Amino acid sequence: MATEFDDSPTGGFRYLIVRPENGGIADLVRGLVRGGEATAVKFVESSDEDLLGAVAVDHRWVILVSVIACKIIAVFGKPMEWTGCLVEFLLNLFSQNGSLLGLLYNLLHGKVVIPQRGSETFISTIGHLDGRIDLYKRDDLVKEVGDSASGEQALMDLCIIAAKLAYENANMHFVDFYNGWNDFQKQCSTQVFILCDKPKDANLILISFRGTEPFDADDWSTDFDYSWYEIPKLGKVHMGFLEALGLGDRANAATFQAHLQVNAGPASTGRMLERTAYYAVRNKLKSLLMEHKKAKFIVTGHSLGGALAILFPTVLLLHEEKEVMQRLLGVYTFGQPRVGNQQLGKFMEAQLDHPIPKYFRVVYCNDLVPRLPYDDNTFLYKHFGVCLYYDSWYIGQKVDEEPNRNYFGSRYLITEYLNAVWELMRSLTMGYMQGPEYKEGWLSIFLRVIGLALPGVSAHSPTNYVNSVRLGKEYISGMSF
């Protein structure tokens, strides 16, 4: 599919950018009290005046909510960053010295191990939440996908473990590792790694994008950002997620247009190859597919990483990378936010659902992130693809949309808090009921306690997704592809 552009300054595509910096608290208060149309316009930049007026009338509340959320996150941005650095340092200090008692012993004997950020032994907060890195059914990965339920389960397990490992640092042993340029954050912060199942004659190439860092305010702002590009023949796409791939720049619409051209590359935009996640991964993938003639590739990610995982093949399709896409085995995402509107969904389903589904979106219970950005008559973002939904008992089912698709409705409020209580109680007994590999540490249990106040946040933990894949046997055995 070739993407066409007209001669207008915006190149034939439309965009809407929410700019929280364009006003203050007083503007927000006036907007909430008086109805919000004039205030919404103040916080919005658009490609044309008609779109700006329509958005101000029809979407004013989503804009105000987006601005409020981003402003709150911005206020706590630096404290979150400092807290994250301190928490990760202390977690690694305890773990590298053998717990608190080990640290005290080493202090007395002058043998304290000081964690070094960026070293192989330094583990992220996500890694401390769930330390499992071994595959559940390694032998089943040799089976052709679709041959058996256990083979499919093994592939899903590989993907969630890889999605977890994407949070770790570049000194782990991967085929290649990138910190790609993020146009939203204006720094190299989009973390992605590539691995092969074996060094020669590989059968599988895996690409895993890092998700939302727990203490990264910019990552959370991306999830709440309402800004979008409308791409001809494709639909509306979340601007922040495209920028995380290095494919957009809200300060320069022409940059985004250049990225959409067929056979686009870093040279056409003046970008350094190694600074842009999409181009770096695309070129490495092409090289690996040429080297491993029988290999297929799979893309995965948790949270924000899930959004990037599905947008990566989306842009491959825009660039008419047909030979590459013929080697796509599947896309598996975990706790992924919405990435575009219904038109985008129809386009991607037409590409990825035939002859068999290749895109699977795994959602655990009350996880907040898959319910963002908002979806109703006012909010345009829609999910697509096969949704594999697991409840708090790890019983799964294939659905079009997860229950309580917008999270904040009163209908599910009591259930959310009851589930949070149940998940806390279960975390204390998992090691006894399911075996030592399911035992949750104090950090995971502490997150469950936080979940008593914010159920959707604790439900987003990768622990829930690993457990869903490994314990959700009732669903896996009943899957049909």
Side-chain angles (χ1 to χ4, degrees):
M1 184 200 78
T3 304
E4 300 175 356
F5 299 92
D6 61 26
D7 296 326
S8 67
T10 61
F13 70 89
R14 301 193 303 169
Y15 62 85
L16 182 140
I17 303 173
V18 178
R19 296 195 180 278
E21 68 275 13
N22 283 1
I25 301 299
D27 297 302
L28 288 172
V29 172
R30 282 194 296 270
L32 293 172
V33 172
R34 298 177 184 176
E37 291 181 21
T39 302
V41 171
K42 184 180 181 69
F43 287 105
V44 171
E45 175 185 327
S46 181
S47 53
D48 59 74
E49 290 296 325
D50 291 339
L51 176 62
L52 188 64
V55 166
V57 174
D58 298 331
H59 297 185
R60 59 186 181 276
W61 293 114
V62 64
I63 292 168
L64 292 177
V65 170
S66 177
V67 169
I68 291 170
C70 290
K71 281 187 172 293
I72 291 173
I73 292 171
V75 168
F76 292 100
K78 280 299 180 182
M80 285 174 65
E81 180 183 346
W82 299 331
T83 301
C85 289
L86 178 61
V87 168
E88 285 196 339
F89 176 81
L90 292 176
L91 289 172
N92 282 276
L93 182 66
F94 293 148
S95 64
Q96 292 183 26
N97 286 278
S99 76
L100 178 59
L101 291 177
L103 176 61
L104 294 175
Y105 177 86
N106 287 346
L107 276 172
L108 292 174
H109 292 81
K111 299 179 180 180
V112 175
V113 179
I114 304 298
Q116 299 296 319
R117 184 176 294 273
S119 67
E120 288 189 30
T121 57
F122 195 92
I123 301 174
S124 69
T125 302
I126 297 296
H128 282 285
L129 270 175
D130 191 304
R132 290 173 287 187
I133 58 174
D134 292 329
L135 298 181
Y136 182 52
K137 293 186 176 180
R138 182 187 302 269
D139 293 340
D140 284 325
L141 278 174
V142 301
K143 301 178 181 179
E144 184 178 349
V145 177
D147 258 4
S148 66
S150 59
E152 187 66 35
Q153 183 183 22
L155 184 59
M156 289 177 64
D157 187 66
L158 170 66
C159 287
I160 182 56
I161 294 300
K164 275 187 348 91
L165 287 176
Y167 288 93
E168 305 308 325
N169 62 67
N171 287 313
M172 299 189 72
H173 301 291
F174 305 120
V175 169
D176 226 332
F177 188 101
Y178 303 96
N179 263 322
W181 177 258
N182 185 322
D183 268 312
F184 181 75
Q185 299 184 15
K186 300 302 179 186
Q187 60 181 324
C188 291
S189 60
T190 299
Q191 198 161 292
V192 53
F193 74 81
I194 304 176
L195 60 80
C196 298
D197 63 341
K198 49 187 177 181
K200 292 185 178 181
D201 298 321
N203 295 311
L204 182 68
I205 300 168
L206 186 143
I207 302 168
S208 180
F209 288 90
R210 192 206 71 189
T212 304
E213 291 276 19
F215 298 100
D216 191 321
D218 287 329
D219 279 0
W220 286 104
S221 291
T222 302
D223 290 337
F224 281 96
D225 186 19
Y226 183 67
S227 305
W228 47 257
Y229 290 108
E230 186 172 19
I231 304 170
K233 298 185 180 180
L234 183 63
K236 292 184 175 70
V237 185
H238 191 287
M239 185 179 294
F241 299 150
L242 281 172
E243 288 177 322
L245 285 175
L247 294 177
D249 186 351
R250 64 187 67 202
N252 184 2
T255 300
F256 181 69
Q257 176 183 340
H259 278 300
L260 288 182
Q261 303 288 351
V262 177
N263 298 321
S268 66
T269 61
R271 289 277 173 78
M272 293 292 290
L273 175 64
E274 63 271 14
R275 297 186 69 198
T276 308
Y278 168 75
Y279 292 116
V281 174
R282 185 186 73 173
N283 286 3
K284 184 63 179 182
L285 175 60
K286 284 184 173 181
S287 174
L288 289 172
L289 290 174
M290 290 182 62
E291 179 183 351
H292 305 283
K293 302 298 184 182
K294 297 180 180 180
K296 294 186 176 182
F297 74 97
I298 193 166
V299 193
T300 191
H302 168 259
S303 190
L304 169 63
L308 305 186
I310 186 57
L311 286 179
F312 179 72
T314 301
V315 182
L316 288 177
L317 288 167
L318 281 174
H319 288 169
E320 295 188 346
E321 297 285 355
K322 296 178 181 179
E323 292 185 5
V324 175
M325 287 299 295
Q326 287 174 356
R327 309 274 291 274
L328 174 67
L329 179 61
V331 180
Y332 286 83
T333 69
F334 304 87
Q336 170 216 312
R338 298 180 177 103
V339 298
N341 67 350
Q342 191 172 33
Q343 183 182 350
L344 173 68
K346 289 180 178 180
F347 172 82
M348 291 304 294
E349 286 175 344
Q351 304 295 325
L352 299 181
D353 276 4
H354 305 287
I356 60 173
K358 293 183 179 180
Y359 171 39
F360 300 93
R361 187 173 56 82
V362 184
V363 177
Y364 171 75
C365 198
N366 294 318
D367 187 350
L368 169 63
V369 175
R371 277 90 175 178
L372 297 173
Y374 217 64
D375 167 22
D376 64 6
N377 293 332
T378 299
F379 298 67
L380 300 177
Y381 287 93
K382 304 287 183 183
H383 273 308
F384 56 93
V386 178
C387 178
L388 309 181
Y389 173 77
Y390 292 89
D391 65 16
S392 62
W393 295 87
Y394 303 128
I395 297 174
Q397 55 184 315
K398 183 166 66 173
V399 297
D400 294 329
E401 183 82 49
E402 59 271 17
N404 188 21
R405 73 177 191 272
N406 287 322
Y407 185 77
F408 296 103
S410 58
R411 177 182 174 186
Y412 292 90
L413 189 62
I414 296 176
T415 305
E416 289 169 4
Y417 284 97
L418 288 176
N419 270 331
V421 173
W422 155 241
E423 289 167 351
L424 175 59
M425 295 170 58
R426 182 185 59 194
S427 69
L428 301 173
T429 62
M430 281 292 286
Y432 301 102
M433 300 296 292
Q434 302 294 341
E437 71 169 289
Y438 293 96
K439 181 180 180 181
E440 296 191 23
W442 68 267
L443 182 62
S444 182
I445 293 173
F446 178 69
L447 182 61
R448 303 285 190 194
V449 173
I450 295 176
L452 297 178
L454 301 169
V457 175
S458 60
H460 191 56
S461 170
T463 299
N464 298 312
Y465 287 95
V466 177
N467 290 348
S468 294
V469 170
R470 296 184 175 186
L471 299 176
K473 297 176 181 177
E474 295 86 348
Y475 174 70
I476 292 293
S477 61
M479 289 173 67
S480 59
F481 295 91

